[in-house]
Amino acid sequence: MTPRAGMLIAAGALVAGTVTVLPAAPADAGEPTPRPLPPLAWTDCASKAYPELQCATLEVPLDHDDPAGRTVTLALTRIQHTAETFQGPLLVNPGGPGGSGRGMAGYVAASLPPKVAAEYDVIGFDPRGVGESEPALDCKPGHFAPVRPDSVPSGAASERTAVERAQSFAEACGKKYADVLPYIDTVSTARDMDLIRRALDAEKINYLGYSYGTYLGAVYARLHPDRVRRMALDSVVNPHGVWYEDNIAQDYAFDTRHKDFMAWVAEHDAAYGLGTDPAAVEAAWYRMRDALRAAPAGGKVGPGELEDTFLPGGYYDGYWPRLAKAFSAYVNDADAVPLTEAYERYGEADPAADNGYSVYTSVQCRDAAWPRDWSVWRKDSWDVHAKAPFSTWNNAWYNAPCAFWPVESLTPPEVANDQVPPVLILQATDDAATPYEGGVALHRLMRGSSLVVEEGGGNHGVSLGGNDCLDEHLATYLADGKVPRAEGDSEVDAVCAALPAPTPEPSAPPAGKKAAARTLPAPATSVGAVPAGDTLHGFLGHVR
């Protein structure tokens, strides 16, 4: 899931009861005759990090049921295979919806064992509406410009202001992209993937998807089980909750993960000086939030922006030391500079984030039914907020345009599958963005799949992020198709230990000592000396 750092792209939710049953066999019969696809014209687009990177574009029908009609353009990248043995294309997707996948090709190719990577053409792509694909959606530039109204309504007037803000975003999308929005959805993107397969002249695809990319992969596998060779799904969307209910599940999970972070800060009181009691540390965080309502840090970090800043810590604990340092400086030294810098690094929206959010809402609001009665959202949000206050209302407003979306919602497809080859599922037990239950649910729905669990792990996106055990399972699967199998009645096929928790940065000041202001390091976008987890989560982008 990458609209912007600090904003969670939801794993998904289903308003009860209705599903669209897609064919569990090849869907060619009765489909419109596809238009011929010209060969992809690959050109060099090398970067310092990925000198072998190539780029291409592919025109696909806006409406797949009208293949001779208007087209949209997809932007693709490739790291070409170098071995004599060629195992076909490996399509990669970082999640979202709204995440740009072009950068993932180089990272995946560089992160897999060289022998394995050499046997694949690793293909990244920007889904329809995203990034370098055309048209790239941007419904309302600056929608997240600071300082937004406080996420938590203080009364009827403040709630009405926030509702009108969400409604205005939906209206802006409808006015700007009325002819496009009916075709920005997961099934359309899955059908785009099959045209990518055809353009690559491949009989079957291999696929590695993270977060929302797991749902996209599952939908593709349901549409075309005979065209899947290997499929690895990391940090799995719960297909039973697409999309409203999964957002509620996220609210609880992110609150729990935030408490884990507060406990870590308490454990390192010597570095941060915020106390040894996790509950007291958490109370200090909420006092900071209250103070920012009256006086936003740097004139730009109010309560909503604070939530945006700390939400990435729920995706990846590698950010904890820098977030804790900013928290400590504000509380202990009345120094707002590190907090403002953290917001600029992790929470502030930019044009790419505006694009990602526009696609996020377009896909999720179109994919599945959402409550159209705002009183349902209000009741659910207050009920959840009472138990999980960290980001419940922030998440509600993030998704609120779906209550007013100008295009009628579809019904989400059934993804149960007994025809696809063995699928490798990788899932952390304490993942907040896509809670553990989603991995188990998809494992049960995809017959013959294998579930590999990172026990005690709380990061979102766990393979190719520094855990050698998980990476070995992925590499073995891509090398020869082998998946681990459980002994006895266990539903889990293999278990990997979680990576150790981070340690405070050496430069963290002693409690009560004011540190010099500095710019936080940028999220990594290349492999090398930067920790693999930082690099991976730079691509995943803390997306919702």
PDB file of all heavy atoms in Angstrom, residues 189-225:
ATOM      1  N   THR A 189      -7.380  -4.084 -12.670  1.00  0.00           N
ATOM      2  CA  THR A 189      -5.927  -4.146 -12.557  1.00  0.00           C
ATOM      3  C   THR A 189      -5.426  -5.575 -12.755  1.00  0.00           C
ATOM      4  O   THR A 189      -4.382  -5.803 -13.391  1.00  0.00           O
ATOM      5  CB  THR A 189      -5.477  -3.601 -11.195  1.00  0.00           C
ATOM      6  OG1 THR A 189      -5.932  -2.248 -11.056  1.00  0.00           O
ATOM      7  CG2 THR A 189      -3.961  -3.633 -11.056  1.00  0.00           C
ATOM      8  N   ALA A 190      -6.160  -6.552 -12.236  1.00  0.00           N
ATOM      9  CA  ALA A 190      -5.778  -7.946 -12.450  1.00  0.00           C
ATOM     10  C   ALA A 190      -5.835  -8.299 -13.932  1.00  0.00           C
ATOM     11  O   ALA A 190      -4.979  -9.035 -14.451  1.00  0.00           O
ATOM     12  CB  ALA A 190      -6.692  -8.872 -11.642  1.00  0.00           C
ATOM     13  N   ARG A 191      -6.827  -7.774 -14.626  1.00  0.00           N
ATOM     14  CA  ARG A 191      -6.910  -8.026 -16.065  1.00  0.00           C
ATOM     15  C   ARG A 191      -5.783  -7.312 -16.809  1.00  0.00           C
ATOM     16  O   ARG A 191      -5.274  -7.807 -17.821  1.00  0.00           O
ATOM     17  CB  ARG A 191      -8.288  -7.625 -16.576  1.00  0.00           C
ATOM     18  CG  ARG A 191      -9.407  -8.489 -15.969  1.00  0.00           C
ATOM     19  CD  ARG A 191     -10.796  -8.057 -16.392  1.00  0.00           C
ATOM     20  NE  ARG A 191     -11.099  -8.464 -17.763  1.00  0.00           N
ATOM     21  CZ  ARG A 191     -12.288  -8.263 -18.345  1.00  0.00           C
ATOM     22  NH1 ARG A 191     -13.265  -7.668 -17.655  1.00  0.00           N
ATOM     23  NH2 ARG A 191     -12.492  -8.656 -19.583  1.00  0.00           N
ATOM     24  N   ASP A 192      -5.359  -6.152 -16.304  1.00  0.00           N
ATOM     25  CA  ASP A 192      -4.165  -5.508 -16.853  1.00  0.00           C
ATOM     26  C   ASP A 192      -2.948  -6.426 -16.719  1.00  0.00           C
ATOM     27  O   ASP A 192      -2.112  -6.508 -17.630  1.00  0.00           O
ATOM     28  CB  ASP A 192      -3.866  -4.206 -16.117  1.00  0.00           C
ATOM     29  CG  ASP A 192      -4.847  -3.093 -16.411  1.00  0.00           C
ATOM     30  OD1 ASP A 192      -5.596  -3.180 -17.409  1.00  0.00           O
ATOM     31  OD2 ASP A 192      -4.859  -2.116 -15.631  1.00  0.00           O
ATOM     32  N   MET A 193      -2.831  -7.083 -15.572  1.00  0.00           N
ATOM     33  CA  MET A 193      -1.696  -7.985 -15.362  1.00  0.00           C
ATOM     34  C   MET A 193      -1.662  -9.080 -16.413  1.00  0.00           C
ATOM     35  O   MET A 193      -0.590  -9.490 -16.865  1.00  0.00           O
ATOM     36  CB  MET A 193      -1.760  -8.598 -13.963  1.00  0.00           C
ATOM     37  CG  MET A 193      -1.358  -7.662 -12.840  1.00  0.00           C
ATOM     38  SD  MET A 193      -1.663  -8.373 -11.206  1.00  0.00           S
ATOM     39  CE  MET A 193      -0.769  -9.922 -11.301  1.00  0.00           C
ATOM     40  N   ASP A 194      -2.821  -9.539 -16.830  1.00  0.00           N
ATOM     41  CA  ASP A 194      -2.811 -10.595 -17.838  1.00  0.00           C
ATOM     42  C   ASP A 194      -2.396 -10.046 -19.197  1.00  0.00           C
ATOM     43  O   ASP A 194      -1.778 -10.770 -19.997  1.00  0.00           O
ATOM     44  CB  ASP A 194      -4.174 -11.273 -17.924  1.00  0.00           C
ATOM     45  CG  ASP A 194      -4.060 -12.674 -18.517  1.00  0.00           C
ATOM     46  OD1 ASP A 194      -3.251 -13.458 -17.992  1.00  0.00           O
ATOM     47  OD2 ASP A 194      -4.731 -12.952 -19.518  1.00  0.00           O
ATOM     48  N   LEU A 195      -2.695  -8.790 -19.461  1.00  0.00           N
ATOM     49  CA  LEU A 195      -2.197  -8.188 -20.692  1.00  0.00           C
ATOM     50  C   LEU A 195      -0.690  -7.965 -20.623  1.00  0.00           C
ATOM     51  O   LEU A 195       0.007  -8.072 -21.647  1.00  0.00           O
ATOM     52  CB  LEU A 195      -2.925  -6.879 -20.976  1.00  0.00           C
ATOM     53  CG  LEU A 195      -4.411  -7.000 -21.309  1.00  0.00           C
ATOM     54  CD1 LEU A 195      -4.979  -5.648 -21.724  1.00  0.00           C
ATOM     55  CD2 LEU A 195      -4.652  -8.027 -22.408  1.00  0.00           C
ATOM     56  N   ILE A 196      -0.177  -7.668 -19.432  1.00  0.00           N
ATOM     57  CA  ILE A 196       1.283  -7.601 -19.273  1.00  0.00           C
ATOM     58  C   ILE A 196       1.887  -8.962 -19.599  1.00  0.00           C
ATOM     59  O   ILE A 196       2.905  -9.066 -20.291  1.00  0.00           O
ATOM     60  CB  ILE A 196       1.656  -7.141 -17.854  1.00  0.00           C
ATOM     61  CG1 ILE A 196       1.207  -5.697 -17.606  1.00  0.00           C
ATOM     62  CG2 ILE A 196       3.165  -7.276 -17.616  1.00  0.00           C
ATOM     63  CD1 ILE A 196       1.401  -5.213 -16.185  1.00  0.00           C
ATOM     64  N   ARG A 197       1.263 -10.018 -19.093  1.00  0.00           N
ATOM     65  CA  ARG A 197       1.733 -11.386 -19.409  1.00  0.00           C
ATOM     66  C   ARG A 197       1.770 -11.613 -20.912  1.00  0.00           C
ATOM     67  O   ARG A 197       2.774 -12.103 -21.460  1.00  0.00           O
ATOM     68  CB  ARG A 197       0.812 -12.420 -18.742  1.00  0.00           C
ATOM     69  CG  ARG A 197       1.150 -13.871 -19.092  1.00  0.00           C
ATOM     70  CD  ARG A 197       0.010 -14.805 -18.735  1.00  0.00           C
ATOM     71  NE  ARG A 197      -1.218 -14.531 -19.475  1.00  0.00           N
ATOM     72  CZ  ARG A 197      -1.451 -14.911 -20.737  1.00  0.00           C
ATOM     73  NH1 ARG A 197      -0.540 -15.583 -21.416  1.00  0.00           N
ATOM     74  NH2 ARG A 197      -2.605 -14.617 -21.317  1.00  0.00           N
ATOM     75  N   ARG A 198       0.681 -11.250 -21.594  1.00  0.00           N
ATOM     76  CA  ARG A 198       0.636 -11.436 -23.041  1.00  0.00           C
ATOM     77  C   ARG A 198       1.706 -10.612 -23.744  1.00  0.00           C
ATOM     78  O   ARG A 198       2.369 -11.088 -24.676  1.00  0.00           O
ATOM     79  CB  ARG A 198      -0.738 -11.056 -23.582  1.00  0.00           C
ATOM     80  CG  ARG A 198      -1.843 -12.075 -23.300  1.00  0.00           C
ATOM     81  CD  ARG A 198      -3.160 -11.617 -23.918  1.00  0.00           C
ATOM     82  NE  ARG A 198      -2.989 -11.237 -25.320  1.00  0.00           N
ATOM     83  CZ  ARG A 198      -3.694 -10.284 -25.938  1.00  0.00           C
ATOM     84  NH1 ARG A 198      -4.614  -9.598 -25.261  1.00  0.00           N
ATOM     85  NH2 ARG A 198      -3.482 -10.006 -27.206  1.00  0.00           N
ATOM     86  N   ALA A 199       1.887  -9.360 -23.303  1.00  0.00           N
ATOM     87  CA  ALA A 199       2.891  -8.497 -23.932  1.00  0.00           C
ATOM     88  C   ALA A 199       4.302  -9.033 -23.732  1.00  0.00           C
ATOM     89  O   ALA A 199       5.186  -8.787 -24.558  1.00  0.00           O
ATOM     90  CB  ALA A 199       2.779  -7.082 -23.379  1.00  0.00           C
ATOM     91  N   LEU A 200       4.493  -9.758 -22.629  1.00  0.00           N
ATOM     92  CA  LEU A 200       5.789 -10.377 -22.363  1.00  0.00           C
ATOM     93  C   LEU A 200       5.949 -11.701 -23.096  1.00  0.00           C
ATOM     94  O   LEU A 200       6.998 -12.348 -22.981  1.00  0.00           O
ATOM     95  CB  LEU A 200       5.958 -10.604 -20.854  1.00  0.00           C
ATOM     96  CG  LEU A 200       6.067  -9.335 -19.994  1.00  0.00           C
ATOM     97  CD1 LEU A 200       5.948  -9.694 -18.512  1.00  0.00           C
ATOM     98  CD2 LEU A 200       7.373  -8.599 -20.259  1.00  0.00           C
ATOM     99  N   ASP A 201       4.905 -12.098 -23.808  1.00  0.00           N
ATOM    100  CA  ASP A 201       4.908 -13.367 -24.553  1.00  0.00           C
ATOM    101  C   ASP A 201       5.177 -14.548 -23.619  1.00  0.00           C
ATOM    102  O   ASP A 201       5.946 -15.457 -23.929  1.00  0.00           O
ATOM    103  CB  ASP A 201       5.944 -13.334 -25.673  1.00  0.00           C
ATOM    104  CG  ASP A 201       5.715 -14.452 -26.697  1.00  0.00           C
ATOM    105  OD1 ASP A 201       4.560 -14.902 -26.826  1.00  0.00           O
ATOM    106  OD2 ASP A 201       6.690 -14.872 -27.340  1.00  0.00           O
ATOM    107  N   ALA A 202       4.522 -14.496 -22.453  1.00  0.00           N
ATOM    108  CA  ALA A 202       4.704 -15.545 -21.447  1.00  0.00           C
ATOM    109  C   ALA A 202       3.419 -16.347 -21.308  1.00  0.00           C
ATOM    110  O   ALA A 202       2.322 -15.786 -21.245  1.00  0.00           O
ATOM    111  CB  ALA A 202       5.076 -14.940 -20.095  1.00  0.00           C
ATOM    112  N   GLU A 203       3.550 -17.662 -21.248  1.00  0.00           N
ATOM    113  CA  GLU A 203       2.387 -18.510 -21.041  1.00  0.00           C
ATOM    114  C   GLU A 203       1.843 -18.358 -19.633  1.00  0.00           C
ATOM    115  O   GLU A 203       0.629 -18.396 -19.412  1.00  0.00           O
ATOM    116  CB  GLU A 203       2.761 -19.971 -21.302  1.00  0.00           C
ATOM    117  CG  GLU A 203       1.597 -20.943 -21.155  1.00  0.00           C
ATOM    118  CD  GLU A 203       2.001 -22.379 -21.421  1.00  0.00           C
ATOM    119  OE1 GLU A 203       3.112 -22.601 -21.940  1.00  0.00           O
ATOM    120  OE2 GLU A 203       1.206 -23.278 -21.089  1.00  0.00           O
ATOM    121  N   LYS A 204       2.751 -18.166 -18.657  1.00  0.00           N
ATOM    122  CA  LYS A 204       2.366 -18.033 -17.258  1.00  0.00           C
ATOM    123  C   LYS A 204       3.213 -16.948 -16.613  1.00  0.00           C
ATOM    124  O   LYS A 204       4.279 -16.591 -17.108  1.00  0.00           O
ATOM    125  CB  LYS A 204       2.561 -19.359 -16.510  1.00  0.00           C
ATOM    126  CG  LYS A 204       1.714 -20.509 -17.043  1.00  0.00           C
ATOM    127  CD  LYS A 204       1.883 -21.754 -16.189  1.00  0.00           C
ATOM    128  CE  LYS A 204       0.997 -22.886 -16.714  1.00  0.00           C
ATOM    129  NZ  LYS A 204       1.031 -24.069 -15.828  1.00  0.00           N
ATOM    130  N   ILE A 205       2.728 -16.442 -15.477  1.00  0.00           N
ATOM    131  CA  ILE A 205       3.506 -15.473 -14.709  1.00  0.00           C
ATOM    132  C   ILE A 205       3.899 -16.062 -13.366  1.00  0.00           C
ATOM    133  O   ILE A 205       3.259 -16.984 -12.837  1.00  0.00           O
ATOM    134  CB  ILE A 205       2.747 -14.153 -14.484  1.00  0.00           C
ATOM    135  CG1 ILE A 205       1.504 -14.374 -13.589  1.00  0.00           C
ATOM    136  CG2 ILE A 205       2.391 -13.487 -15.793  1.00  0.00           C
ATOM    137  CD1 ILE A 205       0.909 -13.081 -13.048  1.00  0.00           C
ATOM    138  N   ASN A 206       4.969 -15.522 -12.820  1.00  0.00           N
ATOM    139  CA  ASN A 206       5.310 -15.659 -11.412  1.00  0.00           C
ATOM    140  C   ASN A 206       5.003 -14.317 -10.768  1.00  0.00           C
ATOM    141  O   ASN A 206       5.006 -13.267 -11.437  1.00  0.00           O
ATOM    142  CB  ASN A 206       6.793 -15.999 -11.265  1.00  0.00           C
ATOM    143  CG  ASN A 206       7.199 -17.204 -12.106  1.00  0.00           C
ATOM    144  OD1 ASN A 206       6.995 -18.339 -11.717  1.00  0.00           O
ATOM    145  ND2 ASN A 206       7.773 -16.950 -13.291  1.00  0.00           N
ATOM    146  N   TYR A 207       4.747 -14.312  -9.473  1.00  0.00           N
ATOM    147  CA  TYR A 207       4.250 -13.081  -8.853  1.00  0.00           C
ATOM    148  C   TYR A 207       4.694 -13.008  -7.397  1.00  0.00           C
ATOM    149  O   TYR A 207       4.662 -14.016  -6.671  1.00  0.00           O
ATOM    150  CB  TYR A 207       2.717 -13.050  -8.926  1.00  0.00           C
ATOM    151  CG  TYR A 207       2.072 -11.828  -8.323  1.00  0.00           C
ATOM    152  CD1 TYR A 207       2.033 -10.614  -9.011  1.00  0.00           C
ATOM    153  CD2 TYR A 207       1.484 -11.872  -7.062  1.00  0.00           C
ATOM    154  CE1 TYR A 207       1.426  -9.486  -8.463  1.00  0.00           C
ATOM    155  CE2 TYR A 207       0.876 -10.750  -6.511  1.00  0.00           C
ATOM    156  CZ  TYR A 207       0.842  -9.565  -7.214  1.00  0.00           C
ATOM    157  OH  TYR A 207       0.243  -8.459  -6.669  1.00  0.00           O
ATOM    158  N   LEU A 208       5.132 -11.816  -6.983  1.00  0.00           N
ATOM    159  CA  LEU A 208       5.425 -11.517  -5.582  1.00  0.00           C
ATOM    160  C   LEU A 208       4.680 -10.246  -5.228  1.00  0.00           C
ATOM    161  O   LEU A 208       4.945  -9.175  -5.781  1.00  0.00           O
ATOM    162  CB  LEU A 208       6.930 -11.327  -5.367  1.00  0.00           C
ATOM    163  CG  LEU A 208       7.357 -10.782  -3.996  1.00  0.00           C
ATOM    164  CD1 LEU A 208       6.942 -11.722  -2.857  1.00  0.00           C
ATOM    165  CD2 LEU A 208       8.869 -10.523  -3.964  1.00  0.00           C
ATOM    166  N   GLY A 209       3.708 -10.364  -4.320  1.00  0.00           N
ATOM    167  CA  GLY A 209       2.909  -9.214  -3.930  1.00  0.00           C
ATOM    168  C   GLY A 209       2.921  -9.001  -2.438  1.00  0.00           C
ATOM    169  O   GLY A 209       2.856  -9.963  -1.664  1.00  0.00           O
ATOM    170  N   TYR A 210       3.013  -7.741  -2.038  1.00  0.00           N
ATOM    171  CA  TYR A 210       2.975  -7.344  -0.634  1.00  0.00           C
ATOM    172  C   TYR A 210       1.659  -6.621  -0.342  1.00  0.00           C
ATOM    173  O   TYR A 210       1.139  -5.884  -1.177  1.00  0.00           O
ATOM    174  CB  TYR A 210       4.121  -6.391  -0.307  1.00  0.00           C
ATOM    175  CG  TYR A 210       5.507  -6.977  -0.367  1.00  0.00           C
ATOM    176  CD1 TYR A 210       6.204  -7.061  -1.565  1.00  0.00           C
ATOM    177  CD2 TYR A 210       6.134  -7.450   0.790  1.00  0.00           C
ATOM    178  CE1 TYR A 210       7.495  -7.583  -1.619  1.00  0.00           C
ATOM    179  CE2 TYR A 210       7.415  -7.972   0.748  1.00  0.00           C
ATOM    180  CZ  TYR A 210       8.095  -8.029  -0.452  1.00  0.00           C
ATOM    181  OH  TYR A 210       9.370  -8.560  -0.510  1.00  0.00           O
ATOM    182  N   SER A 211       1.124  -6.821   0.874  1.00  0.00           N
ATOM    183  CA  SER A 211       0.001  -6.036   1.375  1.00  0.00           C
ATOM    184  C   SER A 211      -1.186  -6.107   0.412  1.00  0.00           C
ATOM    185  O   SER A 211      -1.645  -7.207   0.099  1.00  0.00           O
ATOM    186  CB  SER A 211       0.488  -4.601   1.607  1.00  0.00           C
ATOM    187  OG  SER A 211      -0.442  -3.862   2.338  1.00  0.00           O
ATOM    188  N   TYR A 212      -1.716  -4.972  -0.055  1.00  0.00           N
ATOM    189  CA  TYR A 212      -2.798  -5.019  -1.043  1.00  0.00           C
ATOM    190  C   TYR A 212      -2.420  -5.866  -2.247  1.00  0.00           C
ATOM    191  O   TYR A 212      -3.286  -6.474  -2.889  1.00  0.00           O
ATOM    192  CB  TYR A 212      -3.161  -3.593  -1.480  1.00  0.00           C
ATOM    193  CG  TYR A 212      -3.971  -3.543  -2.747  1.00  0.00           C
ATOM    194  CD1 TYR A 212      -5.338  -3.817  -2.739  1.00  0.00           C
ATOM    195  CD2 TYR A 212      -3.356  -3.248  -3.964  1.00  0.00           C
ATOM    196  CE1 TYR A 212      -6.081  -3.786  -3.920  1.00  0.00           C
ATOM    197  CE2 TYR A 212      -4.091  -3.213  -5.144  1.00  0.00           C
ATOM    198  CZ  TYR A 212      -5.447  -3.492  -5.119  1.00  0.00           C
ATOM    199  OH  TYR A 212      -6.173  -3.464  -6.282  1.00  0.00           O
ATOM    200  N   GLY A 213      -1.125  -5.931  -2.545  1.00  0.00           N
ATOM    201  CA  GLY A 213      -0.678  -6.772  -3.650  1.00  0.00           C
ATOM    202  C   GLY A 213      -1.020  -8.231  -3.469  1.00  0.00           C
ATOM    203  O   GLY A 213      -1.108  -8.982  -4.451  1.00  0.00           O
ATOM    204  N   THR A 214      -1.246  -8.669  -2.219  1.00  0.00           N
ATOM    205  CA  THR A 214      -1.679 -10.051  -1.995  1.00  0.00           C
ATOM    206  C   THR A 214      -3.106 -10.251  -2.474  1.00  0.00           C
ATOM    207  O   THR A 214      -3.452 -11.305  -3.013  1.00  0.00           O
ATOM    208  CB  THR A 214      -1.563 -10.445  -0.512  1.00  0.00           C
ATOM    209  OG1 THR A 214      -2.501  -9.692   0.286  1.00  0.00           O
ATOM    210  CG2 THR A 214      -0.154 -10.211   0.027  1.00  0.00           C
ATOM    211  N   TYR A 215      -3.941  -9.251  -2.259  1.00  0.00           N
ATOM    212  CA  TYR A 215      -5.322  -9.348  -2.715  1.00  0.00           C
ATOM    213  C   TYR A 215      -5.380  -9.287  -4.240  1.00  0.00           C
ATOM    214  O   TYR A 215      -6.102 -10.069  -4.886  1.00  0.00           O
ATOM    215  CB  TYR A 215      -6.143  -8.215  -2.094  1.00  0.00           C
ATOM    216  CG  TYR A 215      -7.606  -8.238  -2.478  1.00  0.00           C
ATOM    217  CD1 TYR A 215      -8.428  -9.298  -2.097  1.00  0.00           C
ATOM    218  CD2 TYR A 215      -8.169  -7.201  -3.209  1.00  0.00           C
ATOM    219  CE1 TYR A 215      -9.773  -9.319  -2.450  1.00  0.00           C
ATOM    220  CE2 TYR A 215      -9.502  -7.205  -3.556  1.00  0.00           C
ATOM    221  CZ  TYR A 215     -10.306  -8.271  -3.179  1.00  0.00           C
ATOM    222  OH  TYR A 215     -11.629  -8.287  -3.533  1.00  0.00           O
ATOM    223  N   LEU A 216      -4.597  -8.388  -4.822  1.00  0.00           N
ATOM    224  CA  LEU A 216      -4.515  -8.313  -6.276  1.00  0.00           C
ATOM    225  C   LEU A 216      -4.062  -9.652  -6.851  1.00  0.00           C
ATOM    226  O   LEU A 216      -4.616 -10.142  -7.837  1.00  0.00           O
ATOM    227  CB  LEU A 216      -3.541  -7.197  -6.667  1.00  0.00           C
ATOM    228  CG  LEU A 216      -3.240  -7.033  -8.156  1.00  0.00           C
ATOM    229  CD1 LEU A 216      -4.501  -6.714  -8.941  1.00  0.00           C
ATOM    230  CD2 LEU A 216      -2.187  -5.932  -8.352  1.00  0.00           C
ATOM    231  N   GLY A 217      -3.068 -10.270  -6.225  1.00  0.00           N
ATOM    232  CA  GLY A 217      -2.601 -11.569  -6.698  1.00  0.00           C
ATOM    233  C   GLY A 217      -3.657 -12.647  -6.574  1.00  0.00           C
ATOM    234  O   GLY A 217      -3.824 -13.487  -7.462  1.00  0.00           O
ATOM    235  N   ALA A 218      -4.377 -12.640  -5.446  1.00  0.00           N
ATOM    236  CA  ALA A 218      -5.420 -13.645  -5.245  1.00  0.00           C
ATOM    237  C   ALA A 218      -6.544 -13.497  -6.266  1.00  0.00           C
ATOM    238  O   ALA A 218      -7.097 -14.496  -6.746  1.00  0.00           O
ATOM    239  CB  ALA A 218      -5.975 -13.537  -3.826  1.00  0.00           C
ATOM    240  N   VAL A 219      -6.881 -12.253  -6.609  1.00  0.00           N
ATOM    241  CA  VAL A 219      -7.913 -12.029  -7.626  1.00  0.00           C
ATOM    242  C   VAL A 219      -7.413 -12.503  -8.984  1.00  0.00           C
ATOM    243  O   VAL A 219      -8.153 -13.162  -9.739  1.00  0.00           O
ATOM    244  CB  VAL A 219      -8.322 -10.540  -7.658  1.00  0.00           C
ATOM    245  CG1 VAL A 219      -9.210 -10.248  -8.867  1.00  0.00           C
ATOM    246  CG2 VAL A 219      -9.054 -10.163  -6.369  1.00  0.00           C
ATOM    247  N   TYR A 220      -6.166 -12.195  -9.312  1.00  0.00           N
ATOM    248  CA  TYR A 220      -5.619 -12.678 -10.582  1.00  0.00           C
ATOM    249  C   TYR A 220      -5.640 -14.208 -10.635  1.00  0.00           C
ATOM    250  O   TYR A 220      -6.011 -14.805 -11.655  1.00  0.00           O
ATOM    251  CB  TYR A 220      -4.192 -12.170 -10.796  1.00  0.00           C
ATOM    252  CG  TYR A 220      -3.601 -12.661 -12.107  1.00  0.00           C
ATOM    253  CD1 TYR A 220      -3.820 -11.952 -13.283  1.00  0.00           C
ATOM    254  CD2 TYR A 220      -2.879 -13.845 -12.183  1.00  0.00           C
ATOM    255  CE1 TYR A 220      -3.322 -12.408 -14.502  1.00  0.00           C
ATOM    256  CE2 TYR A 220      -2.383 -14.317 -13.387  1.00  0.00           C
ATOM    257  CZ  TYR A 220      -2.604 -13.593 -14.542  1.00  0.00           C
ATOM    258  OH  TYR A 220      -2.124 -14.056 -15.748  1.00  0.00           O
ATOM    259  N   ALA A 221      -5.242 -14.836  -9.540  1.00  0.00           N
ATOM    260  CA  ALA A 221      -5.202 -16.299  -9.514  1.00  0.00           C
ATOM    261  C   ALA A 221      -6.586 -16.895  -9.679  1.00  0.00           C
ATOM    262  O   ALA A 221      -6.746 -17.978 -10.270  1.00  0.00           O
ATOM    263  CB  ALA A 221      -4.574 -16.776  -8.204  1.00  0.00           C
ATOM    264  N   ARG A 222      -7.610 -16.227  -9.169  1.00  0.00           N
ATOM    265  CA  ARG A 222      -8.974 -16.715  -9.349  1.00  0.00           C
ATOM    266  C   ARG A 222      -9.409 -16.576 -10.809  1.00  0.00           C
ATOM    267  O   ARG A 222     -10.066 -17.464 -11.370  1.00  0.00           O
ATOM    268  CB  ARG A 222      -9.917 -15.938  -8.431  1.00  0.00           C
ATOM    269  CG  ARG A 222     -11.380 -16.319  -8.573  1.00  0.00           C
ATOM    270  CD  ARG A 222     -11.686 -17.704  -8.034  1.00  0.00           C
ATOM    271  NE  ARG A 222     -13.060 -18.080  -8.303  1.00  0.00           N
ATOM    272  CZ  ARG A 222     -13.734 -18.983  -7.599  1.00  0.00           C
ATOM    273  NH1 ARG A 222     -13.138 -19.613  -6.604  1.00  0.00           N
ATOM    274  NH2 ARG A 222     -14.981 -19.258  -7.896  1.00  0.00           N
ATOM    275  N   LEU A 223      -9.046 -15.452 -11.432  1.00  0.00           N
ATOM    276  CA  LEU A 223      -9.401 -15.243 -12.828  1.00  0.00           C
ATOM    277  C   LEU A 223      -8.662 -16.206 -13.749  1.00  0.00           C
ATOM    278  O   LEU A 223      -9.236 -16.736 -14.700  1.00  0.00           O
ATOM    279  CB  LEU A 223      -9.054 -13.805 -13.241  1.00  0.00           C
ATOM    280  CG  LEU A 223      -9.984 -12.682 -12.777  1.00  0.00           C
ATOM    281  CD1 LEU A 223      -9.328 -11.332 -13.013  1.00  0.00           C
ATOM    282  CD2 LEU A 223     -11.326 -12.750 -13.494  1.00  0.00           C
ATOM    283  N   HIS A 224      -7.383 -16.438 -13.443  1.00  0.00           N
ATOM    284  CA  HIS A 224      -6.523 -17.180 -14.368  1.00  0.00           C
ATOM    285  C   HIS A 224      -5.633 -18.179 -13.625  1.00  0.00           C
ATOM    286  O   HIS A 224      -4.404 -18.062 -13.648  1.00  0.00           O
ATOM    287  CB  HIS A 224      -5.646 -16.210 -15.162  1.00  0.00           C
ATOM    288  CG  HIS A 224      -6.398 -15.187 -15.930  1.00  0.00           C
ATOM    289  ND1 HIS A 224      -7.271 -15.509 -16.953  1.00  0.00           N
ATOM    290  CD2 HIS A 224      -6.421 -13.832 -15.827  1.00  0.00           C
ATOM    291  CE1 HIS A 224      -7.796 -14.397 -17.449  1.00  0.00           C
ATOM    292  NE2 HIS A 224      -7.299 -13.370 -16.794  1.00  0.00           N
ATOM    293  N   PRO A 225      -6.201 -19.169 -12.979  1.00  0.00           N
ATOM    294  CA  PRO A 225      -5.351 -20.106 -12.228  1.00  0.00           C
ATOM    295  C   PRO A 225      -4.373 -20.850 -13.128  1.00  0.00           C
ATOM    296  O   PRO A 225      -3.278 -21.227 -12.694  1.00  0.00           O
ATOM    297  CB  PRO A 225      -6.358 -21.060 -11.580  1.00  0.00           C
ATOM    298  CG  PRO A 225      -7.598 -20.938 -12.414  1.00  0.00           C
ATOM    299  CD  PRO A 225      -7.631 -19.517 -12.882  1.00  0.00           C
TER     300      PRO A 225
END
